[in-house]
């Protein structure tokens, strides 16, 4: 863990996860309406929703070290099971990318204040 100038805010992390789940669900609905050519977008949004739900269900957002360990344990999994996706390998790849992005955010303790629907990848 790096030493940051501001303290870890577990409530902000929880709110960020809530907002990302809502945004991912909206992105899935939009991709579903666009049809076949948007299957990759659907899987990417489904992966983000899966990650945020898994992190939220862990209940470790109040402690930075515990949250980072939870992200690391999810990254160590062999595969990620879910239904309703188009391509399992693409979904797994997007889950890992999302987990790595959240791991960087956790380590730096920044980015959780951004609650916009569309976010630039880090």
């Amino acid at each position: 863990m790096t030493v940051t100038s501001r303290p870890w805010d577990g409530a902000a992390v929880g709110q960020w996860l809530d907002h990302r789940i809502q945004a991912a669900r909206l992105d899935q609905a939009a991709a579903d309406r666009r049809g076949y050519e948007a299957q990759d977008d659907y899987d990417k949004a489904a992966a983000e929703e899966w990650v945020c739900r898994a992190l939220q269900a862990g209940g470790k957002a109040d402690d930075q070290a515990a949250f980072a360990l939870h992200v690391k344990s999810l990254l160590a999994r062999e595969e990620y099971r879910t239904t309703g996706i188009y391509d399992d390998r693409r979904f797994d790849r997007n889950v890992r990318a999302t987990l790595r992005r959240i791991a960087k955010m956790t380590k730096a303790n920044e980015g959780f204040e951004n609650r916009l629907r569309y976010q630039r990848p880090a």
Side-chain angles (χ1 to χ4, degrees):
M1 292 288 107
T2 58
V3 178
T4 57
S5 59
R6 61 192 154 123
W8 178 258
D9 186 2
V13 173
Q15 289 175 350
W16 184 85
L17 290 170
D18 286 337
H19 285 282
R20 294 314 309 154
I21 289 170
Q22 291 172 4
R25 295 182 93 191
L26 291 172
D27 290 345
Q28 287 175 60
D32 202 26
R33 284 190 302 272
R34 288 192 343 247
Y36 179 78
E37 74 275 355
Q39 287 181 353
D40 186 42
D41 294 338
Y42 184 91
D43 287 347
K44 185 175 183 178
E48 184 173 20
E49 181 184 4
W50 187 93
V51 167
C52 291
R53 285 197 186 281
L55 291 173
Q56 204 175 39
K60 296 177 173 48
D62 291 335
D63 181 35
Q64 185 176 11
F67 189 74
L69 191 61
H70 188 53
V71 171
K72 189 175 180 180
S73 71
L74 288 173
L75 264 170
R77 284 189 182 183
E78 288 288 322
E79 59 185 24
Y80 306 95
R81 300 271 180 179
T82 192
T83 59
I85 57 171
Y86 294 100
D87 186 349
D88 290 333
R89 288 188 340 201
R90 183 171 50 206
F91 177 79
D92 286 354
R93 188 172 55 245
N94 287 323
V95 166
R96 291 185 191 287
T98 303
L99 284 168
R100 284 191 298 270
R101 180 172 60 98
I102 293 174
K104 287 179 187 177
M105 290 170 58
T106 302
K107 184 176 182 180
N109 191 17
E110 61 186 27
F112 293 110
E113 64 279 350
N114 183 4
R115 292 188 183 89
L116 299 175
R117 177 174 173 192
Y118 298 107
Q119 297 186 2
R120 291 185 348 179

